[in-house]
Amino acid sequence: MNDQFFMRQALVEALKSSRVGEVPVGAVVTRENQILSRGHNLAISKKDPTAHAEIVAIRRACSTLKSYRLPECDLYVTLEPCAMCLGALVQARLGRLVYGALDPKGGAVQSIMNFPFEKTNHRVEIVGGVLAEECSKVLKEFFQDKR
C-alpha cells in the first residue's frame, strides 16, 4: 500500500461529508498498512466544532485500539489540518501525517502558521501535497455548488 492509495480512501470519506452538506474533508488512520478508522467532517450535523475529519478518525482509532495513544499509526487527511487537529495529533502521539490540499484559510502546517512542533513533547513526521489537485478539486466543486 502507499500514500496515494490511503489518500484515495480519505477522498471517499470527503465525498460522504459533501453529500450531507458538510465541508468535504476526509481522513483515515492506518497502522501497518491497514485502515483502523475513517472519518469525515461532522461539525455542522453534530453541532460540534471539534468534529473535524481528523478528530473523528482519531477518536475511532483510539476506540478500536482501546488506547489514547496511536504511536505506530498514520493519519491521511485530504486538507491541511488546523491547529486544533495538529494538537490532537501530538496528544495521540501519531507517527505520521499525510495531507492533500493546502488550506489557505486555516491550515496550520504551513499556510497560515507553522505549528510549533519543536516546542512540543512529540514530533509528527509530515508529508504534504499527496493527491493535492484531486483533494482541492473536491473542495472547489463543493463551494462552487454552494454559491
Side-chain angles (χ1 to χ4, degrees):
M1 302 289 173
N2 62 31
D3 289 347
Q4 290 187 352
F5 173 82
F6 291 118
M7 188 60 73
R8 283 194 174 84
Q9 297 302 303
L11 278 163
V12 168
E13 290 300 309
L15 294 174
K16 290 179 184 177
S17 40
S18 179
R19 282 188 224 117
V20 295
E22 299 273 357
V23 175
V25 178
V28 297
V29 174
T30 67
R31 185 173 74 171
E32 299 174 356
N33 286 321
Q34 299 285 333
I35 294 176
L36 285 177
S37 66
R38 298 170 176 269
H40 54 274
N41 274 354
L42 294 170
I44 297 167
S45 56
K46 296 255 184 207
K47 296 171 183 54
D48 178 358
T50 68
H52 289 194
E54 300 94 313
I55 303 291
V56 172
I58 289 169
R59 285 177 178 157
R60 289 175 177 167
C62 287
S63 179
T64 297
L65 294 179
K66 296 178 180 22
S67 175
Y68 72 112
R69 301 284 197 223
L70 304 170
E72 297 170 2
C73 297
D74 299 340
L75 174 74
Y76 292 83
V77 62
T78 58
L79 184 65
E80 176 187 8
C82 69
M84 175 186 70
C85 292
L86 289 172
L89 292 172
V90 169
Q91 292 302 311
R93 305 296 194 269
L94 271 144
R96 192 162 169 259
L97 163 67
V98 181
Y99 67 90
L102 291 174
D103 182 357
K105 295 185 179 181
V109 175
Q110 70 181 73
S111 291
I112 65 164
M113 70 177 277
N114 293 313
F115 191 83
F117 287 106
E118 68 281 354
K119 295 180 181 180
T120 65
N121 59 354
H122 177 71
R123 285 222 169 145
V124 178
E125 180 186 338
I126 299 171
V127 177
V130 175
L131 300 182
E133 286 185 34
E134 291 177 48
C135 294
S136 183
K137 182 180 176 191
V138 169
L139 287 157
K140 286 177 184 171
E141 288 174 354
F142 174 80
F143 286 112
Q144 283 174 348
D145 289 347
K146 286 278 185 198
R147 292 185 187 122

